[in-house]
Amino acid sequence: MKRSVMGMLALSAMTVAMGSAFAQQGAAGPAMTAAEKEQAKKIYFERCAGCHGVLRKGATGKNLEPHWTKKDKDGNTTEGGTLQLGQNRLEKIIGFGTDGGMVNFDDILTKEEINLMGRYIQNTPDIPPEYSLKETMDSWKVIVPVKDRPTKQMNKFNLKNMFSVTLRDTGEVALIDGDTKEIRSIVKTGYAVHISRLSKSGRYVYVIGRDGRLSLIDLWMEKPAVVAEVKIGFDARSVDTSKFKGYDDKYAIAGSYWPPQFVIMDGDTLKPRKVVSTRGMTVDGEYHPEPRVASIVSSEIKPEWVVNIKETGQILLVDYSDIENLKTTTIASAKFLHDGGWDYSKRYFLVAANASHKVAAVDTKEGKLAALIDVAKIPHPGRGANFVHPKFGPVWATGHLGADVVTLIATPSDDPKFAQFQKYKWQNVQEIKHVPGNLFVKTHPVSKHLWADAPQNPDKDLAESVAVWDMADLSKPKAILNVAKDSGMPPTKAVKRAVHPEYSADGKEVWISLWGGKTDQSAIVVYDDATLKVKKVITDPKMITPTGKFNIYNTQHDIY
Protein backbone atom coordinates (compact mmCIF):
# COMPACT_ATOMS: atom_id res chain seq x y z
CA MET A 1 0.00 0.00 0.00
CA LYS A 2 1.00 3.58 -0.44
CA ARG A 3 3.20 4.99 2.28
CA SER A 4 6.43 6.87 2.92
CA VAL A 5 9.78 5.14 2.45
CA MET A 6 11.10 6.81 5.58
CA GLY A 7 9.97 5.07 8.74
CA MET A 8 9.86 6.11 12.33
CA LEU A 9 13.07 6.74 14.28
CA ALA A 10 12.03 3.97 16.64
CA LEU A 11 11.61 1.61 13.71
CA SER A 12 15.05 2.57 12.39
CA ALA A 13 16.59 1.80 15.76
CA MET A 14 14.79 -1.51 15.82
CA THR A 15 15.99 -2.55 12.37
CA VAL A 16 19.56 -1.58 13.25
CA ALA A 17 19.33 -3.66 16.43
CA MET A 18 17.96 -6.57 14.47
CA GLY A 19 20.61 -6.14 11.79
CA SER A 20 23.42 -6.41 14.32
CA ALA A 21 22.09 -9.80 15.43
CA PHE A 22 21.18 -11.19 12.01
CA ALA A 23 22.98 -14.33 10.90
CA GLN A 24 23.97 -14.67 7.25
CA GLN A 25 23.29 -18.01 5.61
CA GLY A 26 23.78 -19.56 2.19
CA ALA A 27 25.30 -18.37 -1.07
CA ALA A 28 25.32 -14.67 -1.83
CA GLY A 29 23.11 -13.12 -4.45
CA PRO A 30 23.85 -9.85 -6.31
CA ALA A 31 26.44 -7.69 -4.59
CA MET A 32 25.22 -5.18 -1.98
CA THR A 33 27.10 -2.82 0.28
CA ALA A 34 26.44 -2.92 4.01
CA ALA A 35 24.58 0.41 3.76
CA GLU A 36 22.42 -0.86 0.89
CA LYS A 37 21.53 -3.97 2.82
CA GLU A 38 20.47 -1.99 5.89
CA GLN A 39 18.30 0.25 3.72
CA ALA A 40 16.76 -2.76 1.97
CA LYS A 41 16.03 -4.50 5.31
CA LYS A 42 14.12 -1.45 6.46
CA ILE A 43 12.08 -1.19 3.24
CA TYR A 44 11.37 -4.92 3.28
CA PHE A 45 10.12 -4.77 6.87
CA GLU A 46 7.85 -1.77 6.18
CA ARG A 47 6.37 -2.96 2.89
CA CYS A 48 6.98 -6.63 2.20
CA ALA A 49 7.33 -8.77 5.35
CA GLY A 50 3.63 -8.62 6.22
CA CYS A 51 2.64 -10.62 3.13
CA HIS A 52 5.83 -12.52 2.31
CA GLY A 53 7.22 -13.22 5.81
CA VAL A 54 10.48 -12.27 7.48
CA LEU A 55 12.07 -15.48 6.18
CA ARG A 56 10.35 -14.88 2.80
CA LYS A 57 8.62 -18.25 2.75
CA GLY A 58 5.36 -16.65 1.63
CA ALA A 59 1.78 -16.66 2.90
CA THR A 60 -0.59 -14.05 1.51
CA GLY A 61 2.26 -13.14 -0.86
CA LYS A 62 4.53 -15.43 -2.86
CA ASN A 63 7.63 -17.23 -1.62
CA LEU A 64 10.60 -14.88 -2.18
CA GLU A 65 13.48 -17.19 -1.33
CA PRO A 66 16.43 -17.13 -3.76
CA HIS A 67 15.49 -20.44 -5.39
CA TRP A 68 12.54 -18.50 -6.87
CA THR A 69 14.17 -15.12 -7.39
CA LYS A 70 17.88 -15.55 -8.25
CA LYS A 71 19.37 -16.61 -11.57
CA ASP A 72 22.36 -18.94 -11.34
CA LYS A 73 25.95 -17.94 -12.15
CA ASP A 74 25.47 -18.89 -15.83
CA GLY A 75 22.38 -16.70 -16.18
CA ASN A 76 19.94 -19.60 -16.36
CA THR A 77 16.40 -18.91 -15.22
CA THR A 78 15.29 -22.40 -14.27
CA GLU A 79 16.07 -24.73 -11.43
CA GLY A 80 14.66 -28.22 -11.65
CA GLY A 81 12.34 -27.01 -14.38
CA THR A 82 11.01 -24.13 -12.25
CA LEU A 83 11.05 -20.63 -13.70
CA GLN A 84 13.13 -18.16 -11.72
CA LEU A 85 12.68 -14.43 -11.92
CA GLY A 86 15.96 -12.53 -12.05
CA GLN A 87 16.59 -8.80 -11.65
CA ASN A 88 14.69 -7.39 -14.65
CA ARG A 89 11.54 -9.38 -13.98
CA LEU A 90 11.65 -8.60 -10.26
CA GLU A 91 11.91 -4.88 -10.92
CA LYS A 92 8.83 -5.04 -13.18
CA ILE A 93 6.81 -6.95 -10.56
CA ILE A 94 7.84 -4.56 -7.78
CA GLY A 95 7.19 -1.51 -9.95
CA PHE A 96 3.90 -2.48 -11.59
CA GLY A 97 2.36 -4.91 -9.08
CA THR A 98 0.38 -8.05 -9.88
CA ASP A 99 -3.21 -9.10 -10.46
CA GLY A 100 -3.05 -11.13 -7.25
CA GLY A 101 -3.35 -8.06 -5.03
CA MET A 102 0.21 -6.68 -4.84
CA VAL A 103 0.09 -2.94 -5.50
CA ASN A 104 2.44 -1.06 -7.79
CA PHE A 105 5.40 0.50 -6.00
CA ASP A 106 6.55 2.75 -8.84
CA ASP A 107 4.90 5.77 -7.19
CA ILE A 108 6.07 4.71 -3.72
CA LEU A 109 9.70 3.67 -4.26
CA THR A 110 12.29 5.36 -6.46
CA LYS A 111 13.84 3.50 -9.40
CA GLU A 112 16.99 3.10 -7.33
CA GLU A 113 15.02 1.59 -4.44
CA ILE A 114 13.18 -0.80 -6.76
CA ASN A 115 16.55 -1.92 -8.13
CA LEU A 116 17.81 -2.29 -4.56
CA MET A 117 14.88 -4.47 -3.52
CA GLY A 118 15.25 -6.65 -6.60
CA ARG A 119 18.83 -7.37 -5.59
CA TYR A 120 17.99 -7.80 -1.91
CA ILE A 121 15.42 -10.55 -2.37
CA GLN A 122 17.86 -12.54 -4.51
CA ASN A 123 20.11 -12.82 -1.45
CA THR A 124 19.47 -15.46 1.20
CA PRO A 125 17.10 -14.17 3.92
CA ASP A 126 18.60 -13.20 7.23
CA ILE A 127 17.43 -14.81 10.44
CA PRO A 128 16.34 -12.24 13.04
CA PRO A 129 17.06 -12.71 16.76
CA GLU A 130 14.61 -14.20 19.24
CA TYR A 131 12.77 -12.12 21.84
CA SER A 132 12.42 -13.55 25.33
CA LEU A 133 10.14 -13.00 28.31
CA LYS A 134 12.98 -11.10 29.99
CA GLU A 135 13.31 -8.75 27.03
CA THR A 136 9.55 -8.30 27.03
CA MET A 137 9.64 -7.49 30.76
CA ASP A 138 12.53 -5.05 30.23
CA SER A 139 10.44 -3.13 27.67
CA TRP A 140 7.37 -2.86 29.94
CA LYS A 141 6.44 0.61 31.20
CA VAL A 142 3.56 1.76 33.39
CA ILE A 143 3.22 5.46 32.65
CA VAL A 144 0.20 6.07 34.89
CA PRO A 145 -0.21 3.53 37.72
CA VAL A 146 -3.68 2.10 38.25
CA LYS A 147 -4.02 3.85 41.62
CA ASP A 148 -3.46 7.23 39.93
CA ARG A 149 -6.02 6.72 37.18
CA PRO A 150 -9.56 8.17 37.30
CA THR A 151 -12.29 6.24 39.06
CA LYS A 152 -14.88 7.63 36.64
CA GLN A 153 -14.93 9.22 33.19
CA MET A 154 -13.32 12.66 33.55
CA ASN A 155 -14.19 14.00 30.10
CA LYS A 156 -17.58 14.76 28.53
CA PHE A 157 -16.98 12.87 25.29
CA ASN A 158 -19.50 10.40 23.94
CA LEU A 159 -17.09 7.49 24.16
CA LYS A 160 -19.48 5.09 22.44
CA ASN A 161 -19.13 7.06 19.23
CA MET A 162 -15.40 7.78 19.49
CA PHE A 163 -13.18 6.46 16.69
CA SER A 164 -9.64 5.17 17.19
CA VAL A 165 -7.95 6.06 13.88
CA THR A 166 -4.55 4.74 12.87
CA LEU A 167 -2.16 7.41 11.57
CA ARG A 168 0.09 4.86 10.00
CA ASP A 169 3.33 6.59 9.05
CA THR A 170 3.61 8.83 12.11
CA GLY A 171 3.13 6.00 14.61
CA GLU A 172 0.08 7.60 16.20
CA VAL A 173 -3.60 7.04 16.88
CA ALA A 174 -6.09 9.89 16.54
CA LEU A 175 -9.14 9.70 18.81
CA ILE A 176 -11.87 11.41 16.79
CA ASP A 177 -15.26 12.40 18.20
CA GLY A 178 -17.89 10.75 16.02
CA ASP A 179 -20.51 13.34 16.99
CA THR A 180 -18.50 16.52 16.34
CA LYS A 181 -15.87 15.07 13.95
CA GLU A 182 -13.16 16.78 16.05
CA ILE A 183 -9.82 15.23 16.96
CA ARG A 184 -9.92 14.90 20.75
CA SER A 185 -6.44 13.47 21.23
CA ILE A 186 -3.48 12.27 19.19
CA VAL A 187 -1.63 9.54 21.01
CA LYS A 188 1.90 8.34 20.28
CA THR A 189 1.86 4.58 19.72
CA GLY A 190 3.83 1.99 17.76
CA TYR A 191 4.67 2.30 14.08
CA ALA A 192 1.84 1.40 11.66
CA VAL A 193 -0.79 0.38 14.20
CA HIS A 194 -2.66 -2.55 12.69
CA ILE A 195 -5.74 -2.77 14.90
CA SER A 196 -7.42 -1.20 17.91
CA ARG A 197 -9.32 -3.44 20.34
CA LEU A 198 -11.47 -2.57 23.34
CA SER A 199 -11.54 -3.93 26.85
CA LYS A 200 -14.79 -5.59 27.88
CA SER A 201 -15.71 -2.51 29.92
CA GLY A 202 -15.07 -0.16 27.00
CA ARG A 203 -12.66 1.91 29.07
CA TYR A 204 -9.32 0.82 27.58
CA VAL A 205 -8.16 0.81 23.97
CA TYR A 206 -5.36 -1.60 23.07
CA VAL A 207 -3.41 -0.69 19.94
CA ILE A 208 -0.53 -2.68 18.47
CA GLY A 209 2.01 -1.52 15.91
CA ARG A 210 3.96 -3.31 13.24
CA ASP A 211 7.08 -2.77 15.40
CA GLY A 212 5.59 -4.94 18.17
CA ARG A 213 4.79 -2.07 20.50
CA LEU A 214 1.51 -2.48 22.39
CA SER A 215 -0.02 0.66 23.89
CA LEU A 216 -2.85 0.89 26.43
CA ILE A 217 -5.01 4.04 26.17
CA ASP A 218 -7.31 5.10 29.02
CA LEU A 219 -10.44 6.77 27.62
CA TRP A 220 -11.57 7.96 31.06
CA MET A 221 -8.77 10.51 31.40
CA GLU A 222 -9.59 14.17 30.83
CA LYS A 223 -7.47 13.87 27.69
CA PRO A 224 -7.19 10.18 26.77
CA ALA A 225 -3.57 9.04 26.77
CA VAL A 226 -1.28 6.01 26.93
CA VAL A 227 -1.04 4.66 30.48
CA ALA A 228 1.12 1.57 29.82
CA GLU A 229 3.12 0.01 27.01
CA VAL A 230 5.21 -3.05 26.24
CA LYS A 231 7.09 -4.42 23.25
CA ILE A 232 6.04 -8.02 22.54
CA GLY A 233 8.29 -8.74 19.53
CA PHE A 234 9.85 -7.17 16.46
CA ASP A 235 6.77 -7.43 14.21
CA ALA A 236 3.16 -7.80 15.34
CA ARG A 237 -0.46 -7.42 14.24
CA SER A 238 -2.99 -8.74 16.75
CA VAL A 239 -4.31 -8.07 20.24
CA ASP A 240 -7.44 -8.75 22.28
CA THR A 241 -8.62 -8.93 25.89
CA SER A 242 -10.47 -11.29 28.22
CA LYS A 243 -14.23 -10.88 27.73
CA PHE A 244 -15.82 -13.86 29.49
CA LYS A 245 -17.95 -12.91 32.50
CA GLY A 246 -15.79 -12.55 35.60
CA TYR A 247 -12.62 -11.83 33.60
CA ASP A 248 -13.55 -8.32 32.44
CA ASP A 249 -10.38 -6.34 31.66
CA LYS A 250 -8.27 -8.93 33.57
CA TYR A 251 -5.98 -10.15 30.79
CA ALA A 252 -4.71 -9.09 27.40
CA ILE A 253 -3.09 -11.21 24.69
CA ALA A 254 -0.94 -10.02 21.79
CA GLY A 255 0.41 -12.04 18.89
CA SER A 256 3.77 -11.60 17.21
CA TYR A 257 4.82 -12.17 13.60
CA TRP A 258 8.46 -12.31 14.67
CA PRO A 259 9.35 -14.14 16.76
CA PRO A 260 6.34 -16.40 16.13
CA GLN A 261 4.71 -16.39 19.59
CA PHE A 262 2.00 -14.80 21.70
CA VAL A 263 2.24 -12.96 25.01
CA ILE A 264 -0.34 -12.97 27.84
CA MET A 265 -0.39 -9.87 30.04
CA ASP A 266 -2.33 -8.25 32.86
CA GLY A 267 -5.10 -6.26 31.22
CA ASP A 268 -4.80 -3.01 33.16
CA THR A 269 -1.00 -2.67 33.21
CA LEU A 270 0.28 -4.88 30.34
CA LYS A 271 2.63 -6.63 32.75
CA PRO A 272 3.86 -9.72 30.81
CA ARG A 273 2.83 -13.00 32.39
CA LYS A 274 3.62 -15.69 29.81
CA VAL A 275 5.22 -16.07 26.37
CA VAL A 276 4.09 -19.02 24.23
CA SER A 277 5.85 -20.07 21.02
CA THR A 278 3.76 -21.05 17.99
CA ARG A 279 6.47 -22.89 16.07
CA GLY A 280 5.46 -26.37 15.01
CA MET A 281 3.98 -28.56 12.32
CA THR A 282 1.69 -27.41 9.54
CA VAL A 283 -1.59 -29.16 8.75
CA ASP A 284 0.41 -30.94 6.00
CA GLY A 285 2.78 -32.41 8.61
CA GLU A 286 5.81 -30.25 7.83
CA TYR A 287 7.79 -28.18 10.34
CA HIS A 288 7.61 -24.41 9.80
CA PRO A 289 10.09 -22.01 11.46
CA GLU A 290 7.91 -18.89 11.14
CA PRO A 291 4.26 -19.66 11.96
CA ARG A 292 3.02 -16.13 12.67
CA VAL A 293 0.10 -15.20 14.92
CA ALA A 294 -2.36 -13.72 12.46
CA SER A 295 -5.56 -12.78 14.29
CA ILE A 296 -6.92 -13.16 17.82
CA VAL A 297 -10.51 -12.84 19.03
CA SER A 298 -12.02 -13.22 22.48
CA SER A 299 -14.98 -15.50 23.17
CA GLU A 300 -17.81 -14.41 25.44
CA ILE A 301 -19.20 -17.93 25.94
CA LYS A 302 -16.00 -19.40 27.41
CA PRO A 303 -12.81 -18.01 29.01
CA GLU A 304 -10.96 -18.56 25.72
CA TRP A 305 -9.12 -16.73 22.99
CA VAL A 306 -9.21 -17.93 19.39
CA VAL A 307 -5.63 -17.63 18.14
CA ASN A 308 -5.03 -18.19 14.43
CA ILE A 309 -1.59 -19.36 13.34
CA LYS A 310 -0.98 -18.27 9.77
CA GLU A 311 1.58 -20.62 8.22
CA THR A 312 0.62 -23.84 10.02
CA GLY A 313 -3.13 -23.58 9.48
CA GLN A 314 -3.69 -24.42 13.16
CA ILE A 315 -6.38 -22.60 15.16
CA LEU A 316 -5.71 -22.50 18.90
CA LEU A 317 -8.39 -22.17 21.57
CA VAL A 318 -6.43 -20.80 24.53
CA ASP A 319 -8.15 -21.23 27.91
CA TYR A 320 -7.09 -18.34 30.18
CA SER A 321 -8.96 -19.51 33.29
CA ASP A 322 -5.60 -20.71 34.69
CA ILE A 323 -2.73 -19.10 32.81
CA GLU A 324 -0.11 -20.78 35.01
CA ASN A 325 -1.41 -24.15 33.78
CA LEU A 326 -2.41 -23.08 30.31
CA LYS A 327 -4.70 -25.38 28.35
CA THR A 328 -4.86 -25.13 24.58
CA THR A 329 -7.07 -26.92 22.05
CA THR A 330 -5.48 -27.22 18.61
CA ILE A 331 -7.82 -27.33 15.61
CA ALA A 332 -6.45 -28.16 12.15
CA SER A 333 -7.93 -26.11 9.31
CA ALA A 334 -6.02 -24.81 6.25
CA LYS A 335 -2.71 -23.00 5.82
CA PHE A 336 -2.17 -19.27 5.67
CA LEU A 337 -4.81 -18.19 8.17
CA HIS A 338 -5.25 -14.44 8.21
CA ASP A 339 -8.18 -12.44 9.59
CA GLY A 340 -11.84 -13.02 10.28
CA GLY A 341 -14.78 -12.37 12.56
CA TRP A 342 -17.75 -13.73 14.44
CA ASP A 343 -20.92 -14.91 12.75
CA TYR A 344 -24.38 -13.48 13.40
CA SER A 345 -24.82 -15.59 16.59
CA LYS A 346 -21.24 -15.01 17.87
CA ARG A 347 -20.85 -18.74 18.45
CA TYR A 348 -18.82 -19.39 15.30
CA PHE A 349 -15.60 -17.71 14.26
CA LEU A 350 -14.86 -17.55 10.53
CA VAL A 351 -11.29 -16.96 9.38
CA ALA A 352 -9.77 -16.66 5.92
CA ALA A 353 -7.07 -19.17 4.96
CA ASN A 354 -6.26 -16.76 2.23
CA ALA A 355 -3.53 -18.38 0.10
CA SER A 356 -5.46 -21.67 0.36
CA HIS A 357 -8.60 -19.90 -0.94
CA LYS A 358 -10.73 -21.22 1.92
CA VAL A 359 -12.63 -19.98 4.96
CA ALA A 360 -12.46 -22.01 8.17
CA ALA A 361 -15.37 -21.91 10.63
CA VAL A 362 -14.77 -22.80 14.29
CA ASP A 363 -17.53 -23.82 16.67
CA THR A 364 -16.29 -22.20 19.88
CA LYS A 365 -19.06 -23.81 21.94
CA GLU A 366 -18.05 -27.35 20.95
CA GLY A 367 -14.36 -26.51 20.50
CA LYS A 368 -13.96 -27.99 17.04
CA LEU A 369 -13.86 -27.19 13.34
CA ALA A 370 -17.39 -26.70 12.02
CA ALA A 371 -16.58 -26.35 8.32
CA LEU A 372 -13.91 -25.59 5.74
CA ILE A 373 -15.46 -23.71 2.84
CA ASP A 374 -13.96 -23.23 -0.62
CA VAL A 375 -14.06 -19.61 -1.79
CA ALA A 376 -12.50 -17.49 -4.53
CA LYS A 377 -8.84 -16.45 -4.67
CA ILE A 378 -7.25 -14.89 -1.57
CA PRO A 379 -10.16 -14.04 0.74
CA HIS A 380 -9.51 -11.00 2.95
CA PRO A 381 -12.55 -10.22 5.12
CA GLY A 382 -11.21 -7.95 7.83
CA ARG A 383 -13.84 -8.88 10.43
CA GLY A 384 -16.31 -9.72 7.66
CA ALA A 385 -19.93 -8.57 7.54
CA ASN A 386 -23.08 -10.19 8.95
CA PHE A 387 -26.62 -9.74 7.69
CA VAL A 388 -29.82 -11.67 7.01
CA HIS A 389 -30.13 -12.58 3.34
CA PRO A 390 -33.72 -12.67 1.99
CA LYS A 391 -33.15 -16.14 0.48
CA PHE A 392 -30.38 -17.75 2.56
CA GLY A 393 -30.92 -16.31 6.04
CA PRO A 394 -27.93 -15.30 8.21
CA VAL A 395 -24.79 -14.92 6.09
CA TRP A 396 -21.22 -13.78 6.65
CA ALA A 397 -19.42 -11.93 3.85
CA THR A 398 -15.80 -11.76 2.76
CA GLY A 399 -14.14 -9.88 -0.07
CA HIS A 400 -11.06 -11.02 -1.97
CA LEU A 401 -7.67 -9.66 -2.84
CA GLY A 402 -7.31 -11.87 -5.90
CA ALA A 403 -10.88 -12.30 -7.21
CA ASP A 404 -13.65 -10.03 -8.46
CA VAL A 405 -16.35 -11.16 -6.03
CA VAL A 406 -17.68 -10.76 -2.51
CA THR A 407 -18.52 -14.23 -1.15
CA LEU A 408 -21.54 -14.90 1.08
CA ILE A 409 -21.41 -17.94 3.41
CA ALA A 410 -24.60 -19.11 5.11
CA THR A 411 -24.15 -19.51 8.87
CA PRO A 412 -26.23 -21.65 11.26
CA SER A 413 -28.41 -20.33 14.04
CA ASP A 414 -30.27 -21.83 17.00
CA ASP A 415 -32.95 -19.15 16.65
CA PRO A 416 -36.24 -20.83 15.56
CA LYS A 417 -37.03 -17.94 13.22
CA PHE A 418 -34.09 -19.03 11.05
CA ALA A 419 -34.92 -22.75 11.05
CA GLN A 420 -35.93 -22.74 7.37
CA PHE A 421 -32.43 -21.60 6.35
CA GLN A 422 -30.43 -24.34 8.13
CA LYS A 423 -30.23 -26.41 4.92
CA TYR A 424 -27.79 -23.81 3.55
CA LYS A 425 -25.39 -23.75 6.51
CA TRP A 426 -21.70 -23.44 5.62
CA GLN A 427 -22.45 -23.24 1.93
CA ASN A 428 -20.92 -20.63 -0.34
CA VAL A 429 -24.39 -19.44 -1.32
CA GLN A 430 -23.66 -16.38 -3.45
CA GLU A 431 -20.83 -14.50 -5.13
CA ILE A 432 -21.53 -10.81 -5.65
CA LYS A 433 -19.71 -9.14 -8.51
CA HIS A 434 -17.01 -6.73 -7.27
CA VAL A 435 -13.39 -6.06 -8.30
CA PRO A 436 -10.10 -7.61 -7.10
CA GLY A 437 -8.05 -5.81 -4.49
CA ASN A 438 -10.70 -5.69 -1.76
CA LEU A 439 -9.52 -5.53 1.85
CA PHE A 440 -12.67 -4.83 3.90
CA VAL A 441 -16.43 -5.38 3.76
CA LYS A 442 -18.79 -3.84 6.29
CA THR A 443 -22.43 -3.45 7.28
CA HIS A 444 -24.41 -2.70 10.47
CA PRO A 445 -27.55 -4.23 12.02
CA VAL A 446 -29.65 -1.11 11.31
CA SER A 447 -28.28 -0.57 7.78
CA LYS A 448 -29.70 -1.75 4.47
CA HIS A 449 -26.32 -1.48 2.78
CA LEU A 450 -23.16 -3.55 2.31
CA TRP A 451 -19.94 -1.61 1.66
CA ALA A 452 -16.68 -2.89 0.13
CA ASP A 453 -13.42 -1.12 -0.73
CA ALA A 454 -10.76 -2.01 -3.34
CA PRO A 455 -7.55 -0.22 -2.26
CA GLN A 456 -5.27 -2.92 -3.68
CA ASN A 457 -6.73 -2.74 -7.19
CA PRO A 458 -4.15 -1.61 -9.77
CA ASP A 459 -6.66 0.75 -11.43
CA LYS A 460 -6.42 4.21 -9.85
CA ASP A 461 -10.14 5.02 -10.06
CA LEU A 462 -11.13 1.66 -8.55
CA ALA A 463 -8.55 1.95 -5.74
CA GLU A 464 -9.97 5.37 -4.89
CA SER A 465 -13.58 4.12 -4.84
CA VAL A 466 -15.92 1.96 -2.79
CA ALA A 467 -18.94 -0.11 -3.86
CA VAL A 468 -22.27 -0.10 -2.02
CA TRP A 469 -25.04 -2.71 -2.43
CA ASP A 470 -28.66 -2.70 -1.34
CA MET A 471 -28.88 -5.95 0.65
CA ALA A 472 -32.43 -6.49 -0.61
CA ASP A 473 -31.05 -6.71 -4.18
CA LEU A 474 -27.43 -7.83 -4.45
CA SER A 475 -27.50 -8.36 -8.22
CA LYS A 476 -25.39 -5.25 -8.82
CA PRO A 477 -23.93 -2.36 -6.79
CA LYS A 478 -26.36 0.37 -5.90
CA ALA A 479 -23.52 2.87 -6.23
CA ILE A 480 -19.80 3.18 -6.93
CA LEU A 481 -18.53 6.12 -4.88
CA ASN A 482 -15.26 7.74 -5.90
CA VAL A 483 -14.09 8.80 -2.46
CA ALA A 484 -11.12 10.78 -3.77
CA LYS A 485 -13.38 12.94 -5.94
CA ASP A 486 -16.02 13.21 -3.23
CA SER A 487 -13.38 14.54 -0.82
CA GLY A 488 -13.05 17.73 -2.88
CA MET A 489 -9.27 17.59 -2.57
CA PRO A 490 -7.18 18.37 -5.68
CA PRO A 491 -6.37 15.31 -7.80
CA THR A 492 -2.87 13.86 -7.65
CA LYS A 493 -0.92 11.50 -9.88
CA ALA A 494 -0.34 9.21 -6.92
CA VAL A 495 -3.19 6.98 -5.77
CA LYS A 496 -5.26 8.06 -2.77
CA ARG A 497 -6.54 4.66 -1.66
CA ALA A 498 -10.05 4.49 -0.20
CA VAL A 499 -9.85 1.96 2.59
CA HIS A 500 -11.70 0.48 5.56
CA PRO A 501 -15.40 1.43 5.74
CA GLU A 502 -16.44 1.82 9.39
CA TYR A 503 -19.89 2.59 10.76
CA SER A 504 -20.77 5.04 13.50
CA ALA A 505 -22.24 3.55 16.66
CA ASP A 506 -25.83 4.24 15.53
CA GLY A 507 -25.21 2.78 12.07
CA LYS A 508 -26.17 6.01 10.28
CA GLU A 509 -22.72 7.04 9.01
CA VAL A 510 -19.89 5.29 7.20
CA TRP A 511 -16.34 6.60 7.53
CA ILE A 512 -13.80 5.90 4.75
CA SER A 513 -10.07 6.62 5.00
CA LEU A 514 -8.53 8.32 1.99
CA TRP A 515 -4.94 7.18 2.31
CA GLY A 516 -2.43 9.41 0.58
CA GLY A 517 1.32 9.45 0.95
CA LYS A 518 3.16 11.07 3.82
CA THR A 519 3.60 14.27 1.81
CA ASP A 520 0.04 14.20 0.41
CA GLN A 521 -3.07 15.48 2.15
CA SER A 522 -5.08 12.59 3.54
CA ALA A 523 -8.67 12.65 4.75
CA ILE A 524 -11.56 10.73 6.24
CA VAL A 525 -14.73 11.05 4.17
CA VAL A 526 -17.96 10.55 6.14
CA TYR A 527 -21.02 9.37 4.20
CA ASP A 528 -24.68 9.29 5.17
CA ASP A 529 -25.51 5.59 4.97
CA ALA A 530 -29.12 6.23 3.93
CA THR A 531 -28.49 8.71 1.12
CA LEU A 532 -24.86 7.81 0.23
CA LYS A 533 -24.09 11.54 0.23
CA VAL A 534 -21.00 13.10 1.81
CA LYS A 535 -21.71 14.57 5.25
CA LYS A 536 -18.22 15.65 6.26
CA VAL A 537 -14.62 15.56 5.06
CA ILE A 538 -12.24 15.40 8.03
CA THR A 539 -8.81 16.86 7.32
CA ASP A 540 -6.10 18.16 9.60
CA PRO A 541 -2.36 18.78 9.12
CA LYS A 542 -1.72 16.37 11.98
CA MET A 543 -3.82 13.60 10.42
CA ILE A 544 -1.20 11.88 8.27
CA THR A 545 -1.88 8.61 6.42
CA PRO A 546 -5.09 7.51 8.21
CA THR A 547 -5.92 3.86 7.60
CA GLY A 548 -7.96 1.70 10.01
CA LYS A 549 -10.76 3.31 11.99
CA PHE A 550 -12.37 1.53 14.91
CA ASN A 551 -15.61 2.80 16.40
CA ILE A 552 -15.42 2.21 20.15
CA TYR A 553 -18.93 0.77 20.62
CA ASN A 554 -18.92 -1.40 17.49
CA THR A 555 -15.45 -2.77 18.27
CA GLN A 556 -16.33 -3.40 21.91
CA HIS A 557 -19.40 -5.42 20.93
CA ASP A 558 -18.11 -7.06 17.71
CA ILE A 559 -20.68 -5.35 15.50
CA TYR A 560 -19.91 -5.72 11.81
Side-chain angles (χ1 to χ4, degrees), residues 22-44:
F22 278 10
Q24 291 290 342
Q25 293 186 347
M32 301 182 73
T33 67
E36 285 179 326
K37 192 160 190 181
E38 286 303 314
Q39 181 186 5
K41 283 179 188 176
K42 184 171 181 294
I43 294 172
Y44 185 85

Side-chain angles (χ1 to χ4, degrees), residues 130-190:
E130 300 300 318
Y131 196 75
S132 68
L133 177 60
K134 181 181 183 304
E135 289 167 301
T136 308
M137 283 292 296
D138 289 345
S139 73
W140 171 52
K141 298 176 183 176
V142 176
I143 299 158
V144 181
V146 174
K147 64 181 179 62
D148 296 333
R149 296 177 198 169
T151 57
K152 62 180 181 179
Q153 184 178 336
M154 299 303 292
N155 55 62
K156 296 182 180 180
F157 307 147
N158 177 11
L159 295 182
K160 287 184 177 180
N161 202 32
M162 188 76 72
F163 288 76
S164 177
V165 179
T166 300
L167 306 183
R168 188 193 187 283
D169 286 350
T170 61
E172 296 171 320
V173 163
L175 297 174
I176 302 180
D177 190 319
D179 295 342
T180 66
K181 314 299 187 288
E182 297 175 355
I183 297 175
R184 295 301 188 185
S185 183
I186 291 184
V187 181
K188 203 72 182 171
T189 58

Side-chain angles (χ1 to χ4, degrees), residues 6-55:
M6 299 303 295
M8 303 295 297
L9 290 175
L11 176 60
S12 299
M14 184 276 293
T15 53
V16 170
M18 289 177 69
S20 67
F22 278 10
Q24 291 290 342
Q25 293 186 347
M32 301 182 73
T33 67
E36 285 179 326
K37 192 160 190 181
E38 286 303 314
Q39 181 186 5
K41 283 179 188 176
K42 184 171 181 294
I43 294 172
Y44 185 85
F45 172 81
E46 290 185 349
R47 308 183 182 286
C48 315
C51 288
H52 299 284
V54 171
L55 301 182

